[in-house]
Amino acid sequence: MYRPGHRISRRDLFRAGAGLAAGAGLAAATTGTAAAAVPAVIGGAKVGNLTGPDETGQFAAPWTDLGIPARCPDGSILFVCGDTFDGATEGASDWRAPVGLRSSASDLNSLVIDGAVGGSHANGLVPEGHIPVNGGYTTAIPSDVFTVGDTMYMHLMRGVIYQTDHSDFWRSTDNGETWEYLCLWPGNQYNGQFQQKTYAVADDGYCYVLSTVFNRDVVSDLLLHRVPQDQLGVPGAYQPWGYANGAWAWGNYPTTITTSRRWGEICFRAMGGQYSFSWLNMEPLGIHAQVFPLPTSNLFTTPEQAIILPTSPGAEFANYVASPYGGFVIPGSSFDDFHICVSQWYDSTDYRVMHYRITGLVH
């Protein structure tokens, strides 16, 4: 996330997190924040960098993050990235957000970015002028990209970073090459807790939607909605899940489905007959995951598993990563072979998307 002239952003947060991790934070990262106990530490390894000067410099996108992966109708994998730059360092020139980078291969063992929306110059997927507002600059940060049938959908958070004015929703019927605007939600809906959304495409005709505030300094509930898959662009079709009058029910005012906390990125997926939820946990710092049978399962008691743990630059190994964030599940994953996109940002030439394989996930 980038704001010219105002460098307090993801990088600063993660520098602070990495500093904590060097001490008690590393030990704390193996404990959960919900009521359930966390299982034994999960294993994992870096498969490789997905972005960087060598990997995506040829598309004028050497510096980017997030890389939310979605399988396109044509079988390729589109990685939708956040703030993206050309030049010698992050922030040097040619700011775009979001952009689409593509792997023509979808095999988890051979993912390589070999294309981009825009060809040799990765274009911004939607109009975004990066307008100066209140001492910062607007941007368009993706929170999710997914496919239903032959249509792709993308959810963006708009405004100055962590000051979301609104979120909006787009669709593509040409494998992510062009995007059509569908709708928006105001940034203050549900006290801001509908800003950052992630969608699980279920086999019952619904998408299930988790949401939080998009600001890592703010404690937020985690809210659940469902929406028919043929009404994804109709805000009034999103039905909340909440607790009222002694019972949980669809149509109640939405109430938190797990312990409130400071949230980073979130990723909700239906897979293998169950659901996975992965997210950047801010305290303790790390990427966590839960596996559960139903979208309405009790997440207060579902074990949280730390799948990426923090460490310092130069001390990375296995699933220990310096300044990690993201944690988006790569299509084709199973619970026994769990692949995620992890971002990293701790200086002007260490800003990238990486591919990690996680082992030992309890499900």
Side-chain angles (χ1 to χ4, degrees), residues 224-257:
L224 172 65
H225 286 71
R226 68 179 181 182
V227 58
Q229 291 172 12
D230 60 358
Q231 298 183 64
L232 283 162
V234 181
Y238 286 64
Q239 185 179 32
W241 174 255
Y243 186 80
N245 301 316
W248 288 91
W250 294 110
N252 286 343
Y253 189 85
T255 53
T256 191
I257 62 169

Side-chain angles (χ1 to χ4, degrees), residues 14 21 39 56 59 63 65 136 199 211 227 234 242 264 283 290:
F14 292 125
T56 51
F59 306 112
W63 316 109
D65 71 349
Y199 291 70
S211 67
V227 58
V234 181
E283 188 178 354
Q290 290 175 301

Side-chain angles (χ1 to χ4, degrees), residues 10-36:
R10 279 184 175 174
R11 181 171 60 194
D12 303 276
L13 287 171
F14 292 125
R15 276 177 172 165
L20 290 172
L26 265 175
T30 61
T31 65
T33 54

